[in-house]
Amino acid sequence: MLDKERVFKASKVSPFFESTTVLSAIPGEVVIKFHVEKIHLNSNGFMHGGVLSVLVDFFTFIAAETIISADYSTSLELNVKYLKALREGETYIARLEAVTAGKRFVVCKGDFRNMNGEVVAKGSQTIYRISPGKFKKGNDMKSNYTENEPLVSKL
């Protein structure tokens, strides 16, 4: 499943990721380096927790995709532990890995370290793998349901 070119291209899909570099991608693991810039900051001048959550979400999916096809997957649970403030102008290294991959669920985790090697944040995610037959390719999810039908009944 590992397509290194796809991993490197995917890491540039958003302005939040422009300062992000994929250092390595091997089956089950991705290592990224990112530099905190003004776009990442909250009103107190530190990296916004939501931006860090996006990094955990996005790069755990990439770690999962190095061993399985995550094309029809969604986040089931996302956890982020903020241990130290991430500051503008500083560079961090994150190592994210797919710990367990089953038929329906993939569990991923990772840590974020400053350049001194100190852990500044930890993250984990459980990814739910949806059967491709549940969705029509090329349509948005909403078009696959009737108005009165709850979304979870289709999963």
Side-chain angles (χ1 to χ4, degrees), residues 48-67:
H48 193 287
V51 174
L52 188 56
S53 292
V54 168
L55 289 174
V56 171
D57 178 45
F58 188 77
F59 285 103
T60 52
F61 259 94
I62 288 180
E65 203 162 82
T66 64
I67 57 172

Side-chain angles (χ1 to χ4, degrees), residues 132-151:
K134 299 283 185 189
F135 298 101
K136 300 172 193 159
K137 208 153 181 76
N139 294 334
D140 63 19
M141 286 178 62
K142 192 173 182 181
S143 66
N144 290 291
Y145 303 97
T146 63
E147 232 177 89
N148 298 322
E149 185 176 19
L151 290 177

Side-chain angles (χ1 to χ4, degrees), residues 8 16 19 31 50 55-56 71 84 91 100-101 108 111 115-116 130 135 150-151:
F8 290 103
F16 288 118
S19 66
V31 178
L55 289 174
V56 171
D71 287 344
K84 293 187 178 192
T91 300
T100 306
C108 301
D111 60 34
M115 297 312 286
N116 295 326
I130 302 166
F135 298 101
L151 290 177

Side-chain angles (χ1 to χ4, degrees), residues 8-9 23 41 45 55 65 69 75 89 121-123 132 137 142 147 154:
F8 290 103
K9 282 182 183 176
L23 299 178
L41 304 182
L55 289 174
E65 203 162 82
S69 173
S75 300
K122 293 182 176 193
K137 208 153 181 76
K142 192 173 182 181
E147 232 177 89
K154 284 290 190 174

